[in-house]
Amino acid sequence: MTGTGRAGTAAPIAVGDQAPDFSLKDNHGRTVRLADFRGGAAGHGGGGEGGGAGDPDHDGKNVVLVFYPFAFTGVCAGELGALRDALPAFVNDDTQLLAVSTDSIHTLRIFAEQEGLEYPLLSDFWPHGQTSRAYGIFDEDKGCALRGTFVIDRTGIVRWSVVNALPDARDLDQYVKALAAL
């Protein structure tokens, strides 16, 4: 992990930790819960838009959880565009990509349309940064998430992560390698 322990942020959650659950609205106003991607009895509650958590026949999905500072900024648009261009590696029968920022759902809807992003953009707008704080990557001074990525397995355990400073783009090839190791 890189870029941790900066002023204005808590330490990010560690590999091997249970990923903090969340319930956030996506760019279409739908509720997305991390628990919905857990397999079998490990899931909490009934199915939902993520599909079937709590159903013993549901295998769940690995989740690539990507936090980014703000829509409509150069580095963020570049990173999310690279994920769009490699989408089959991140959205398939085994994996779901979720991108989170502190922007409103309305901003995220326009951003997704403009950039051609066809994966969920989740709003951590209110309570402002609550999910980013739970993952230890909210920059209190800037009021946004750092560039944090967490690969979470089907049981909800963080298996890989990287946290970069605001101006530093991430290498998506690292995500592919982390998923291949699951």
Side-chain angles (χ1 to χ4, degrees), residues 6 18 29 38 40 52 72-73 75 79-81 92 95 100 104 119 124 129-130 147 182:
R6 295 173 5 92
Q18 182 74 34
R38 291 197 187 125
F72 299 106
T73 58
V75 176
E79 285 186 316
L80 296 177
N92 53 54
T95 305
V100 181
S104 73
Y119 50 86
D124 193 15
Q130 180 177 14
R147 295 184 191 286
L182 294 181

Side-chain angles (χ1 to χ4, degrees), residues 18-107:
Q18 182 74 34
D21 203 8
F22 57 79
S23 178
L24 297 172
K25 297 284 186 186
D26 74 4
N27 48 307
H28 299 289
R30 296 176 293 220
T31 299
V32 176
R33 295 171 193 84
L34 181 60
D36 289 343
F37 298 98
R38 291 197 187 125
H44 299 224
E49 317 210 3
D55 175 356
D57 296 326
H58 174 66
D59 290 335
K61 287 188 175 192
N62 300 310
V63 173
V64 177
L65 185 62
V66 176
F67 290 88
Y68 61 99
F70 295 111
F72 299 106
T73 58
V75 176
C76 293
E79 285 186 316
L80 296 177
L83 289 165
R84 173 200 61 220
D85 296 346
L87 201 57
F90 301 107
V91 178
N92 53 54
D93 289 342
D94 296 319
T95 305
Q96 179 63 51
L97 171 64
L98 301 173
V100 181
S101 79
T102 55
D103 294 300
S104 73
I105 63 170
H106 310 292
T107 299

Side-chain angles (χ1 to χ4, degrees), residues 158-181:
V158 175
R159 296 298 177 189
W160 181 87
S161 70
V162 65
V163 179
N164 287 3
L166 293 177
D168 300 330
R170 294 162 281 197
D171 179 359
L172 75 90
D173 289 337
Q174 293 177 342
Y175 312 171
V176 173
K177 290 177 187 172
L179 284 168

Side-chain angles (χ1 to χ4, degrees), residues 9 68-70 102 128 132 137-146 166:
T9 62
Y68 61 99
F70 295 111
T102 55
H128 191 72
S132 303
I137 59 162
F138 187 77
D139 186 321
E140 296 288 343
D141 297 334
K142 305 275 191 234
C144 64
L146 297 173
L166 293 177

